[in-house]
Amino acid sequence: MEQSKLRMSSSPHQHARENTSRIMLEVLMALVPAATLAVFFFGLRALGLMLVAVVAAVATEALLQKLSGRPVTIRDYSAAVTGLLVAFGVPAGLPLWIVAIGAAIAIAIGKQVFGGLGNNPFNPALVGRAVLLASWPAQMTTWVAPFTFLTSATPLGGGARPAYSTLFLGAVPGSLGETSALALLVGGLYLIWRGIIDWRIPVGFVGTVAVFSAVFGGDPLFHVLAGSLLLGAFFMATDPVTSPMTSWGRLIMGVGCGLITAIIRLWGGYPEGVTYAILIMNAFTPLIDRYVRPVRFGAARK
Amino acid sequence: MTKAKTFGGGIHPRYNKERTLNLPIVDAVVPKELVFPLSQHIGAPCQPLVKVGERVLKGQKIADSDAPISAPIHSSVSGQVVAIEKRPHCSGQDTMAIVVSNDGLDEEAVPASTGTSIENVPADEIVRIVREAGIVGMGGAGFPTHYKMVPPAGTKVEMVVLNGAECEPYLTADYRLMMEESEQVVLGLRLLMKALGADKGCIGVEEDKSEAIAALKQAREAFPDIEVIPLQVKYPQGSEFMLIRAITGKELPVGRLPAELGVIVNNVATAVAVANAVTTGKPLVERVVTVSGSMVERPQNLRVRLGTPVGALLEQCGLKGQPGKVIKGGPMMGVTLANLDVPVIKTTCGLLALSPEEAEPLEISPCIRCGRCVDVCPMRLQPVFIAQFVERGMLEQAEAYNATDCRECGCCSYICPARRPLVQNIRLAKSAILAKRRK
């Protein structure tokens, strides 16, 4: 044996198997049920939108990292997650080039200008969605009905109120990945079970919307099942980079998102408020992390 | 049955204990030359009491110190002092050591039947015996045990806790002791309780070690003031802070002594050493070391004479090939060794040889702010922020985030999905802050 080949390092010498790419891969896996149902309801158009968005996001990330001379990190799958989430938030009839621009903007303006993964203050996918909503408001709100592709309004946007079971399964007009509560719950619960996301954010978010809308005369079950709420609560507000780092902080994040969403839905000018609610709470995340801190060990009791 | 006790935070590393769990302790080979560093404990190093050329006996005191926080050192064989010089030490630096050439006779310095019994030994005599036997915390900390047995004025120790958690992966030395020498564990605990005038004794053991729990329960049968407490299997359950939290429900603030909460904690191996010292009159000259790791051909629990070079143990257990890392202690808090001439000292509880693949440097990626390090930190720190402050040279901020509370258990670095060197950076902060405070 050669002693010179012994490596010296500071403990610990053992590490968890889970790494960043594994976490992102798990999120992608959790999105599979909703993606599958999107293809089922909206056909190959949905598949096309998702593929284009993922390719655009990953290509943008690689290109910008190459241009700025930084290591290319597309293998951490975070750009793929962002691309897919952008596609989940658009109507099935949207031209492919628009979703490509949305995904590229999500990565370029939402993430890479801040220095890449871990440094962005706002959820990149929601930045992309907000830009698309402002730039192509007509196309972004032209919804089509499942199977028939006939233009129709979403349930939240004043369209027909479907039965709860239809709403739960997701056979309603809406954004690609948002319509099926069932698929999102399956994916979201999987992420909680695997310890990838903290239950406090979705529970705080969804619970607050339900309670708030019930108190002010809305139909809580309808408000929970309709719109972007479940996608936002399980997959967007839980983005580790843009949500707080302590348990209490995460609960505040969830409740805050729920309050803003409910206020926009009930009294705002838009039918849906999840996107802006999460973006606003993203802005508060550094503040929450600054003030909501764990109690020092030994300080709790005498 | 109530739920096993524990603390908040913590991790579940791969335990890898099965290789040695059911292997009885066997004697290690005794080498031709043994090296006794003058520093094997926390506190003042000893001064040699012998000269080069002098003959020494097994159990003879060969170094001691007048300092209150120190413990004497004894030869573990009979033979001749061949050198007193700087030798490699597990701290990474060469330190002064007494080198003894073994004559193979094992001639004892202490006559047989020198010991006494718990009934006949007064409290202050126990403390004296423990000091003279050179006993220090054998779980890895190495704090002189006799010093803990005299609590500071104004404090009253009500409970002596024995640490049988052995939460470090791979290590099974304490487990084997609890199984094979459960009577001595209980006797050691009773001696510590008598010395301190404590009414209550507890032995904390992780609940998956049910055979050890059963053995200890049987051994304490006649002593209603002693309790065996099952603990949840979680790292770092064996940290003094977490053990006190689990057993008493109280949190010890950093910088305060356990005695202020009416508790002192000792390792089970330390308790066995105390029992042996009192009943046989013999000092601490050997200890149990788990030799394991993926590169070790025949992992074992070895009873090793102090002063044995670790290379001799690896040779005895066999290596499958070139190891990538050799670690003194466990994988969570152990230190890597560059030199296999380093001897086993009083705090060497394990020796691990890991493969070159396991020793590969980690690929560090950007922090994704997931907060896992915050969730697992048993001291409820925010490792991510402290490490960031250190990277930016913001020491005051690191201090404001209680960097010095860190016990360096390594849960944060273990769990980090971006493989960031969190505890490593916090260590830097701690030493810089403490250096500044000393000024």
Side-chain angles (χ1 to χ4, degrees):
Chain A
M1 190 188 57
E2 291 173 61
Q3 296 196 357
S4 61
K5 284 194 180 161
L6 292 179
R7 216 176 88 76
M8 301 295 288
S9 70
S10 174
S11 63
H13 310 287
Q14 200 187 86
H15 295 82
R17 291 205 173 90
E18 189 178 73
N19 58 19
T20 303
S21 349
R22 181 75 213 169
I23 290 174
M24 296 298 169
L25 207 55
E26 297 253 16
V27 174
L28 282 177
M29 276 155 55
L31 288 170
V32 165
T36 310
L37 277 189
V39 176
F40 177 68
F41 292 136
F42 300 108
L44 288 177
R45 272 217 63 86
L47 189 62
L49 284 166
M50 290 189 280
L51 283 178
V52 166
V54 168
V55 170
V58 173
T60 308
E61 176 135 303
L63 184 72
L64 289 179
Q65 287 177 327
K66 270 252 156 69
L67 286 180
S68 57
R70 282 172 298 153
V72 175
T73 59
I74 53 174
R75 282 192 181 176
D76 66 19
Y77 300 110
S78 62
V81 170
T82 300
L84 190 56
L85 286 175
V86 169
F88 269 29
V90 304
L94 194 75
L96 293 178
W97 62 272
I98 294 185
V99 86
I101 288 178
I105 285 175
I107 295 295
I109 312 244
K111 183 176 174 190
Q112 289 299 333
V113 287
F114 296 104
L117 183 65
N119 298 306
N120 47 297
F122 298 102
N123 184 318
L126 290 176
V127 170
R129 184 184 204 176
V131 169
L132 289 185
L133 269 172
S135 309
W136 291 277
Q139 288 94 327
M140 279 295 285
T141 50
T142 305
W143 315 97
V144 296
F147 311 119
T148 64
F149 295 94
L150 295 172
T151 306
S152 55
T154 62
L156 263 184
R161 275 216 180 180
Y164 288 132
S165 57
T166 316
L167 207 50
F168 184 70
L169 287 173
V172 294
S175 300
L176 285 191
E178 295 180 355
T179 59
S180 175
L182 172 68
L184 293 169
L185 277 176
V186 168
L189 293 177
Y190 171 78
L191 290 184
I192 291 175
W193 171 63
R194 297 284 296 151
I196 305 284
I197 63 172
D198 187 343
W199 60 267
R200 289 173 185 82
I201 293 178
V203 168
F205 198 159
V206 174
T208 304
V209 168
V211 169
F212 201 85
S213 52
V215 167
F216 291 94
D219 172 352
L221 192 54
F222 172 73
H223 273 284
V224 167
L225 296 176
S228 317
L229 180 60
L230 293 177
L231 181 70
F234 282 103
F235 294 95
M236 309 270 213
T238 54
D239 168 24
V241 176
T242 55
S243 59
M245 284 207 243
T246 55
S247 308
W248 280 107
R250 292 183 199 123
L251 192 62
I252 294 171
M253 169 89 185
V255 171
C257 284
L259 274 180
I260 300 171
T261 298
I263 290 170
I264 294 177
R265 278 188 183 182
L266 293 177
W267 302 300
Y270 285 103
E272 175 58 301
V274 167
T275 300
Y276 295 112
I278 298 173
L279 286 172
I280 290 167
M281 287 312 291
N282 286 164
F284 279 103
T285 292
L287 206 62
I288 295 173
D289 273 338
R290 181 163 188 146
Y291 290 105
V292 183
R293 287 168 48 187
V295 182
R296 189 179 187 180
F297 188 88
R301 297 172 195 79
K302 233 185 86 63
Chain B
M1 208 180 115
T2 51
K3 208 160 177 270
K5 298 186 172 193
T6 195
F7 59 96
I11 55 169
H12 299 274
R14 298 178 292 287
Y15 269 78
N16 295 331
K17 288 185 193 263
E18 61 291 337
R19 318 156 186 245
T20 51
L21 201 61
N22 297 316
L23 300 178
I25 301 166
V26 294
D27 287 335
V29 287
V30 186
K32 281 266 153 281
E33 185 183 276
L34 294 98
V35 178
F36 302 96
L38 295 177
S39 183
Q40 309 201 9
H41 48 262
I42 289 176
C46 292
Q47 299 303 319
L49 302 173
V50 292
K51 292 196 182 65
V52 175
E54 203 173 309
R55 181 171 149 80
V56 293
L57 301 178
K58 182 182 178 190
Q60 179 181 334
K61 188 156 82 174
I62 54 176
D64 204 347
S65 165
D66 295 332
I69 305 184
S70 189
I73 288 157
H74 306 78
S75 178
S76 62
V77 293
S78 59
Q80 198 177 25
V81 177
V82 291
I84 299 177
E85 61 189 21
K86 286 204 165 180
R87 287 289 181 114
H89 185 268
C90 47
S91 64
Q93 286 164 333
D94 291 357
T95 62
M96 287 305 284
I98 298 170
V99 185
V100 172
S101 165
N102 179 10
D103 63 13
L105 301 173
D106 269 353
E107 215 176 307
E108 300 266 2
V110 184
S113 74
T114 306
T116 172
S117 68
I118 184 164
E119 288 75 24
N120 295 330
V121 65
D124 52 352
E125 177 66 4
I126 301 174
V127 180
R128 194 196 65 81
I129 293 173
V130 166
R131 198 212 101 85
E132 280 309 300
I135 297 172
V136 304
M138 291 171 76
F143 194 86
T145 304
H146 68 86
Y147 195 79
K148 289 209 283 194
M149 292 168 71
V150 185
T155 58
K156 161 95 178 84
V157 171
E158 277 140 21
M159 187 198 283
V160 177
V161 173
L162 288 193
N163 187 351
E166 201 170 43
C167 57
E168 276 270 11
Y170 294 95
L171 306 188
T172 54
D174 288 350
Y175 173 75
R176 291 313 306 178
L177 268 185
M178 291 187 284
M179 295 279 289
E180 298 174 28
E181 299 181 22
S182 41
E183 306 283 341
Q184 290 295 86
V185 173
V186 171
L187 178 60
L189 175 56
R190 289 172 59 217
L191 285 162
L192 288 164
M193 287 162 65
K194 180 166 183 181
L196 283 150
D199 308 324
K200 205 166 159 37
C202 285
I203 311 174
V205 185
E206 287 189 323
E207 59 183 335
D208 62 337
K209 294 162 187 154
S210 47
E211 287 181 55
I213 292 175
L216 290 170
K217 278 193 168 157
Q218 201 180 346
R220 58 111 249 178
E221 197 91 276
F223 312 105
D225 47 354
I226 293 180
E227 207 181 332
V228 182
I229 298 186
L231 306 166
Q232 269 183 44
V233 182
K234 195 159 77 167
Y235 176 88
Q237 185 62 75
S239 142
E240 189 168 63
F241 289 83
M242 299 312 135
L243 193 64
I244 292 174
R245 168 68 185 78
I247 288 183
T248 68
K250 293 181 198 161
E251 291 185 352
L252 179 69
V254 171
R256 308 278 290 277
L257 291 172
E260 295 177 48
L261 294 180
V263 185
I264 74 155
V265 179
N266 280 288
N267 189 267
V268 287
T270 312
V272 170
V274 169
N276 289 342
V278 171
T279 53
T280 68
K282 286 179 187 165
L284 179 63
V285 294
E286 58 186 20
R287 68 157 298 142
V288 183
V289 180
T290 301
V291 183
S292 188
S294 58
M295 293 309 285
V296 176
E297 210 148 10
R298 295 173 302 277
Q300 285 176 80
N301 298 300
L302 294 176
R303 190 178 304 282
V304 182
R305 301 284 178 93
L306 299 179
T308 306
V310 296
L313 301 183
L314 290 179
E315 211 168 286
Q316 183 177 359
C317 296
L319 283 174
K320 293 176 187 165
Q322 168 73 38
K325 253 185 203 178
V326 173
I327 298 166
K328 175 221 175 206
M332 290 306 299
M333 290 187 78
V335 295
T336 48
L337 300 178
N339 190 322
L340 301 183
D341 297 332
V342 161
V344 169
I345 61 172
K346 294 171 186 176
T347 57
T348 311
C349 41
L351 184 67
L352 307 178
L354 302 186
S355 70
E357 295 75 47
E358 289 167 309
E360 275 299 304
L362 300 165
E363 207 175 303
I364 299 171
S365 59
C367 171
I368 57 167
R369 296 182 23 96
C370 64
R372 281 171 174 71
C373 56
V374 183
D375 292 338
V376 300
C377 178
M379 296 305 289
R380 294 201 296 269
L381 297 174
Q382 294 177 287
V384 52
F385 290 133
I386 301 175
Q388 277 173 4
F389 292 139
V390 174
E391 285 169 7
R392 294 169 194 167
M394 297 160 74
L395 263 196
E396 289 80 18
Q397 282 290 332
E399 195 171 2
Y401 274 66
N402 305 322
T404 49
D405 276 7
C406 175
R407 300 295 93 199
E408 307 182 19
C409 67
C411 286
C412 51
S413 294
Y414 171 90
I415 206 77
C416 179
R419 309 291 187 236
R420 302 198 68 76
L422 298 169
V423 71
Q424 292 86 343
N425 271 321
I426 299 172
R427 274 188 202 120
L428 290 178
K430 275 179 71 177
S431 55
I433 292 166
L434 295 176
K436 197 184 69 185
R437 282 187 194 163
R438 274 196 294 270
K439 266 188 202 159

